Amino acid sequence: MAFLLLVLVNICSAFFQPAMQVAIVQSVDEKDRLGANSLLQGTTSFLIIVCQGIAAILVYLFSYRYNFLLDAACYFLSLLILLRLPPLVTERVQQASAGFFARLQEGFRYISRQKEIGRVILYQMAERICAAYYIMLMFYILQERGEGLYVFGLLDIPLGLGGVIAGVIATKLADRFSDHKLSVAQGWALVAMGICIYAVFHIQPIMGMAVAILFCAFASFLSSILSVTKLQRLTDPAYLARVFSIREMATMGSFSASCLILGVGAEHVGSAVSSVWLAVFGIVAGVGWLWSRRQLQRREAGTE
């Protein structure tokens, strides 16, 4: 039952994410979108800090059942909030008469023509593969180290704090850096994730592990904010929902595959060894992104 509930929650999330991106694009000016995405990530991460701390205390003092009840209440409250949102559907979308699969195929064709959008989606897939370390972290804390569930919950506090810091830093980067420099920041964020993932599973003190998680979360959230903003700027509004739907399919698919591989690997060779594989992948993916950005910049300079 727990497995089925998680499946349903992730299905609902897959519907929510593309709709949220369309709402942001239609309600926020282009120059303010990075700030809006940063604010969204920062507030979400701040609530992770607060709520995960509360959840850890509830699990320790009472039972995990209270957390499920609070979770259900939050979803119901969000439903009431969403029902009050004004309609944001454009006339162009309203007049669309093509079927679901036809529109999805158009989205794939659009991405194949827009090479930069495809590159950003591939980058986000690599970031999601690295982010699967969090699933292995649960096994590492609870099984291999034998810590209590509340310890795992408390380690979500630096995770949320990293998101808050990333939201603030992303806003500052937008004011000072060009698109090329932001792309460079994305590459180094992946490299940093790889290094931090290795540190998380090879540092013994809990406090040191928390610091590594903080930096890893900062790099992950920063790369996500910059990537989402870039997709919002690159994509034609008529294709926005389809692009983000395909992006959700690709990133969640890569995340799920990475979780499966890491889970099997952790059970057979241990989390420490599996983390080395993931760390190497993150560093190589980050270096590959930086190299591709440099090559693209040289080609653009040559054409000018």
Side-chain angles (χ1 to χ4, degrees):
M1 286 301 297
F3 182 79
L4 290 176
L5 285 172
L6 288 173
V7 171
L8 289 174
V9 167
N10 282 282
I11 289 174
C12 293
S13 177
F15 281 100
F16 179 79
Q17 292 298 331
M20 181 180 66
Q21 300 306 328
V22 173
I24 290 175
V25 169
Q26 292 188 13
S27 58
V28 180
D29 293 335
E30 182 176 347
K31 61 182 178 62
D32 298 323
R33 285 176 195 163
L34 181 55
N37 291 320
S38 301
L39 179 62
L40 177 64
Q41 185 60 69
T43 52
T44 302
S45 299
F46 175 75
L47 290 175
I48 288 176
I49 299 173
V50 175
C51 296
Q52 290 287 9
I54 295 173
I57 294 173
L58 289 176
V59 169
Y60 181 72
L61 296 179
F62 302 104
S63 168
Y64 65 87
R65 297 179 186 275
Y66 288 94
N67 287 3
F68 282 122
L69 290 173
L70 284 174
D71 196 34
C74 289
Y75 274 106
F76 180 73
L77 179 61
S78 67
L79 171 63
L80 298 180
I81 295 172
L82 291 172
L83 288 175
R84 297 180 60 84
L85 288 178
L88 294 172
V89 182
T90 63
E91 294 182 1
R92 187 171 182 180
V93 175
Q94 288 175 337
Q95 296 173 355
S97 58
F100 170 77
F101 288 105
R103 288 174 58 78
L104 191 62
Q105 288 175 355
E106 289 177 1
F108 278 108
R109 286 195 293 268
Y110 175 76
I111 292 174
S112 67
R113 294 193 301 268
Q114 304 294 326
K115 302 298 184 183
E116 185 62 18
I117 292 177
R119 294 188 189 100
V120 175
I121 292 176
L122 287 174
Y123 171 88
Q124 287 202 284
M125 290 174 66
E127 186 274 328
R128 286 291 85 194
I129 290 173
C130 293
Y133 85 93
Y134 184 77
I135 302 300
M136 191 166 60
L137 181 64
M138 181 184 296
F139 176 79
Y140 177 64
I141 294 294
L142 301 181
Q143 298 294 326
E144 295 184 338
R145 294 187 56 140
E147 303 284 355
L149 183 60
Y150 70 95
V151 174
F152 179 74
L154 289 174
L155 286 175
D156 272 345
I157 295 177
L159 178 75
L161 186 58
V164 173
I165 298 173
V168 175
I169 296 297
T171 304
K172 300 297 183 181
L173 291 179
D175 296 333
R176 300 178 182 179
F177 286 5
S178 63
D179 287 342
H180 173 69
K181 289 184 177 180
L182 291 177
S183 295
V184 172
Q186 286 178 282
W188 283 113
L190 268 186
V191 173
M193 279 191 72
I195 296 172
C196 291
I197 287 169
Y198 178 85
V200 167
F201 294 93
H202 289 82
I203 293 177
Q204 292 303 314
I206 294 294
M207 185 58 67
M209 187 187 304
V211 173
I213 291 174
L214 171 66
F215 282 101
C216 189
F218 167 75
S220 176
F221 286 123
L222 180 65
S223 65
S224 179
I225 294 170
L226 296 178
S227 299
V228 167
T229 303
K230 185 171 290 188
L231 282 180
Q232 290 172 347
R233 291 175 176 174
L234 291 171
T235 306
D236 186 328
Y239 291 92
L240 191 65
R242 280 168 283 182
V243 167
F244 273 96
S245 295
I246 294 170
R247 171 236 181 209
E248 195 73 11
M249 292 165 56
T251 54
M252 289 305 296
S254 59
F255 179 77
S256 300
S258 181
C259 288
L260 178 61
I261 295 171
L262 288 174
V264 173
E267 289 184 345
H268 284 80
V269 299
S271 299
V273 176
S274 298
S275 70
V276 174
W277 304 340
L278 195 59
V280 171
F281 172 82
I283 294 171
V284 171
V287 172
W289 173 263
L290 291 170
W291 178 82
S292 67
R293 295 294 93 186
R294 180 173 296 181
Q295 295 298 112
L296 181 62
Q297 187 182 30
R298 288 178 178 176
R299 285 198 298 269
E300 290 175 351
T303 56
E304 292 176 359

